[in-house]
Amino acid sequence: MNKLFTGFVVSLFAGPLMAQEAATLPPLSSLSRAVQESSNRQPAIPRLEQDKEAAQILADFEERSGQKPNILLFIVDDMGYGDPGAFGGGEAIGAATPNMDKLAREGLKLTSTYAQYTCTPTRAAIHTGRLPVRTGLIRPILAGDQITQNPWEGEVSLPGALSDNGYYSLLVGKWHVGESEGMRPHDIGYDEFYGYYRAQKEYIQAFDAHRYPDLVNDPDKLKRYNDIGADDTLTYGLKDGTTEVVEKVSSVQDMAEGDGKLRDYTVKRIAELAQNDQPFFLTHAFMKVHADNWPSEVFRGASASKYPYKDAIVEVDTYIGDVVQALEDAGELENTFIFVTSDNGPQMDSWPDGGYTPFRGAKGTTWEGGVRVPGIAYWKGVIQPGRVSDGLFDLMDLFDTSLTLAGIGTENLPDDRYYDGIDQTSFLLTDQGESLRENIYFWLGSSLTAMRMREYKSHTKIVETDASMLWIDMAKLIDTALAPWLFNLYIDPKESYAVGHRMNAWQASMGAEMKAHGATFKQFPPKDIGLN
């Protein structure tokens, strides 16, 4: 165990529980319905009949279509839970989202979808099926960071596994999980990459004298900043190592038009890929609505609010509609599983250039506002329209679920590391599907801070801010005292008043679950790549 590996889990390693191997652990708690079938896999709730039904759905689809399904992931950057109309936002808060709303209405709306607390960890989790604390990708890699080892070395990536099994894998848009050779999308498994390595703010701050006057207007600082040498391009890459600069970002407006270019590329590639017999895995990762949002000329003032963030929401929603239409035009819509989500909660530090959540906290925290995100699963003709579920879904589950959709499964994954994702195929596809996930564990960097189980959420550490909405720039991480802060999210979704042991019978069970989670780090030590 790395000495820098801090938080609640560290204190667990001294306990008698640690003497047991994970494979011999008894049921984790009296509250748990989950079963651990392997010592290196997250326990899951058995849904055997549901799983059989989903397997038949996939078999029928393959017989009917003659192929495995395409998989399309839309990842919006920093969109809040309450931004889409289907989740309480939309027109009511000045930015209509008819395309996301339509997918939610005609598919499955997931009201308890969870991301990590910030962007890089979420993207790493989706691509590996493992908590970021296990891979070392616990926060964004920033210009000037000295990485001690390649976190992708030895990892099984989702695009790589799919590519090795007959899929064409393509990432269009934001990456933000490493820009050095060996860490780029086309190095870690994607067959093709067209996009940006970093967040849009990082491309434009050297040109934005209004927001960063002390940088732009100071020649010495500006030179030192530019000398860091961070990538400033729209890049095209292929798995064979081909890496080409499409264009350099040289102004604020270049970045403002970035998502339009990504939209054009995805639409073009869908039309081309549809001509092949090969199924595709496509991640379309938006640059917006991460601050700093500058509107595309086409969408300037497009929202009812007229604010740049809201214009960006309208732009993103429009492009989602355009890509779905491209699938329809190519005859691929009924062959494609689609998932729409955000990589974390809204960045309230940049308000009003930030999104909306009805929950406490924001990006940078493990309060609901920081990690609970919109989730929409859509597959025309397969997922029953109008479904809504509060079943737990972690974005890591897209790893296992995608492997199952592709007919690969997870049985052959390495057994020398722990996998936190769960195959949720049957939850998403069957008409009465229920979640197979019992627990979601929340980490802030290398500290375990909270866990949700059913409708309960227990915090052992909390993030507090000394300034309204500054959940990153003026926040602090605080230990709870004698007892964890236990909330019932069904009666208190804003996590404002802990029910604790005085009003809840499951405090000990929740603690046992967190201890068992901590035990997995003893048997399967995490990487430290220098981001602690």
Side-chain angles (χ1 to χ4, degrees):
M1 177 56 57
N2 190 293
K3 66 181 180 180
L4 295 176
F5 189 70
T6 59
F8 174 72
V9 168
V10 172
S11 66
L12 301 176
F13 292 159
L17 181 64
M18 299 309 303
Q20 304 180 56
E21 292 293 328
T24 63
L25 286 173
L28 302 184
S29 76
S30 300
L31 184 60
S32 180
R33 299 163 292 179
V35 172
Q36 186 169 32
E37 296 183 351
S38 172
S39 64
N40 72 322
R41 301 306 306 265
Q42 175 67 24
I45 303 170
R47 308 277 191 197
L48 300 183
E49 292 304 313
Q50 181 176 289
D51 289 344
K52 290 179 183 177
E53 184 181 350
Q56 189 61 54
I57 289 172
L58 290 175
D60 291 345
F61 168 79
E62 188 168 358
E63 182 178 358
R64 183 171 67 249
S65 66
Q67 68 167 71
K68 302 291 185 184
N70 305 316
I71 302 168
L72 169 59
L73 307 182
F74 286 112
I75 303 175
V76 186
D77 202 355
D78 287 6
M79 179 172 68
Y81 181 95
D83 280 327
F87 291 82
E91 289 180 332
I93 58 172
T97 56
N99 294 293
M100 283 187 274
D101 298 348
K102 183 174 187 289
L103 292 176
R105 187 170 60 251
E106 297 181 0
L108 167 60
K109 181 172 75 170
L110 297 165
T111 61
S112 286
T113 301
Y114 286 92
Q116 304 298 313
Y117 74 107
T118 190
C119 46
T120 295
T122 293
R123 294 163 201 271
I126 292 171
H127 284 83
T128 64
R130 284 156 44 81
L131 279 165
V133 71
R134 300 192 193 276
T135 62
L137 289 161
I138 58 174
R139 65 165 175 80
I141 301 171
L142 305 175
D145 275 335
Q146 299 298 315
I147 302 299
T148 57
Q149 63 174 298
N150 183 352
W152 293 100
E153 186 175 349
E155 291 290 339
V156 176
S157 77
L158 176 56
L162 292 172
S163 179
D164 289 344
N165 287 273
Y167 273 71
Y168 189 83
S169 57
L170 169 64
L171 169 63
V172 179
K174 178 183 174 180
W175 176 231
H176 217 204
V177 201
E179 60 187 74
S180 301
E181 189 171 349
M183 297 176 61
R184 303 168 302 185
H186 49 298
D187 296 327
I188 64 93
Y190 277 104
D191 293 300
E192 184 179 350
F193 169 61
Y194 183 90
Y196 304 90
Y197 292 128
R198 302 184 289 151
Q200 66 175 1
K201 170 185 180 293
E202 297 172 73
Y203 288 92
I204 63 176
Q205 53 195 9
F207 308 112
D208 187 353
H210 179 72
R211 296 195 190 193
Y212 308 99
D214 56 327
L215 171 63
V216 179
N217 298 326
D218 186 322
D220 176 66
K221 290 177 185 172
L222 185 59
K223 181 181 184 304
R224 292 175 183 276
Y225 176 81
N226 289 329
D227 285 348
I228 293 172
D231 186 86
D232 59 358
T233 65
L234 172 61
T235 300
Y236 171 74
L238 294 174
K239 184 180 280 188
D240 65 7
T242 298
T243 305
E244 300 172 356
V245 172
V246 178
E247 66 179 35
K248 186 174 181 177
V249 178
S250 301
S251 68
V252 167
Q253 202 57 37
D254 282 350
M255 192 72 263
E257 305 300 339
D259 273 306
K261 296 166 186 173
L262 300 175
R263 172 265 184 206
D264 292 346
Y265 194 81
T266 290
V267 168
K268 176 176 78 76
R269 291 299 283 131
I270 285 174
E272 294 166 350
L273 291 169
Q275 302 304 310
N276 304 327
D277 295 329
Q278 187 178 20
F280 57 82
F281 170 68
L282 170 58
T283 301
H284 187 101
F286 291 93
M287 300 301 288
K288 292 183 172 78
V289 289
H290 190 297
D292 301 320
N293 285 289
W294 289 85
S296 164
E297 287 297 336
V298 176
F299 290 93
R300 189 181 300 276
S303 69
S305 84
K306 310 305 179 187
Y307 276 76
Y309 179 88
K310 302 291 186 176
D311 290 349
I313 285 287
V314 172
E315 181 180 359
V316 163
D317 182 76
T318 300
Y319 293 157
I320 288 175
D322 292 343
V323 172
V324 172
Q325 186 60 51
L327 289 170
E328 182 86 76
D329 294 342
E332 293 292 335
L333 186 58
E334 294 185 352
N335 299 332
T336 305
F337 169 83
I338 299 173
F339 199 91
V340 184
T341 192
S342 174
D343 60 348
N344 43 248
Q347 182 172 302
M348 298 306 296
D349 290 64
S350 57
W351 187 90
D353 190 12
Y356 171 68
T357 179
F359 305 118
R360 183 175 182 174
K363 176 183 177 180
T365 79
T366 51
W367 295 112
E368 292 290 282
V371 291
R372 195 165 175 176
V373 295
I376 301 169
Y378 173 89
W379 186 355
K380 185 177 181 180
V382 176
I383 294 178
Q384 184 182 60
R387 287 181 61 204
V388 179
S389 176
D390 192 50
L392 300 187
F393 189 92
D394 192 303
L395 292 183
M396 277 187 298
D397 298 342
L398 290 169
F399 179 89
D400 300 69
T401 302
S402 295
L403 292 180
T404 297
L405 290 173
I408 302 170
T410 59
E411 302 81 15
N412 295 322
L413 290 172
D415 59 6
D416 63 348
R417 69 204 66 175
Y418 197 88
Y419 283 91
D420 302 276
I422 288 175
D423 176 13
Q424 296 267 39
T425 305
S426 65
F427 172 34
L428 302 182
L429 299 192
T430 61
D431 291 352
Q432 305 299 322
E434 295 182 89
S435 176
L436 288 80
R437 179 170 283 280
E438 187 74 285
N439 316 77
I440 292 182
Y441 298 97
F442 303 100
W443 288 78
L444 195 134
S446 54
S447 292
L448 176 60
T449 60
M451 180 196 70
R452 179 171 174 182
M453 185 174 184
R454 305 196 189 200
E455 68 267 37
Y456 307 126
K457 188 173 175 188
S458 180
H459 293 258
T460 56
K461 292 177 180 286
I462 59 165
V463 176
E464 289 289 0
T465 177
D466 289 332
S468 178
M469 293 192 283
L470 294 184
W471 289 102
I472 298 174
D473 287 342
M474 290 191 70
K476 52 195 173 187
L477 186 62
I478 303 172
D479 290 327
T480 58
L482 179 62
W485 292 14
L486 176 60
F487 298 94
N488 184 326
L489 297 178
Y490 280 174
I491 60 174
D492 181 20
K494 293 181 181 292
E495 298 172 286
S496 58
Y497 193 77
V499 293
H501 74 285
R502 71 193 186 286
M503 296 173 63
N504 189 282
W506 301 110
Q507 186 91 278
S509 292
M510 300 285 281
E513 298 283 332
M514 297 182 82
K515 288 182 179 180
H517 178 64
T520 67
F521 290 87
K522 178 69 172 180
Q523 186 175 6
F524 302 99
K527 297 178 185 177
D528 175 16
I529 65 169
L531 293 181
N532 281 295

